[in-house]
Amino acid sequence: QVQLVESGGGLVQPGGSLKLSCAASGNIFHIYTMAWYRQAPGAQREFVANITLNSNTNYDNSVKGRFTISRDNDKNIMYLQMNSLTPQDTAAYLCAADITSSPTYVLTKHWGKGTQVTVSA
């Protein structure tokens, strides 16, 4: 079984910063692309950013230049540094990872349960 656990969320004032972490553990053979998504109340889940095994990155236009995604392959942890936060960034932030596990080694997308980020004065 694979677990993804997010941490680092909280309440921050507009213009502030937060750094989120996503730790993967369990029956992991290999982790490929990792990603952050977010979901505000009553809204659809939306893509934020992803990072490939070779650390190539992609960002949604709404966060480009403000958020930075990174990963530590030795520790199986992904990060999201969020700067210049606005109230529109308020959402539950979920991590996802494409992982192969024994015994099938089929590539499967796993999800964390999310960490809440609230940007408010």
Side-chain angles (χ1 to χ4, degrees), residues 49-66:
N50 68 10
I51 183 167
T52 68
L53 182 61
N54 295 325
S55 293
N56 294 314
T57 59
N58 294 288
Y59 296 91
D60 182 80
N61 285 337
S62 66
V63 306
K64 201 172 292 184
R66 300 188 298 124

Side-chain angles (χ1 to χ4, degrees), residues 11-31:
L11 173 64
V12 63
Q13 292 188 340
S17 298
L18 280 176
K19 186 173 184 177
L20 306 182
S21 300
C22 170
S25 62
N27 180 14
I28 295 171
F29 178 71
H30 214 64
I31 303 177

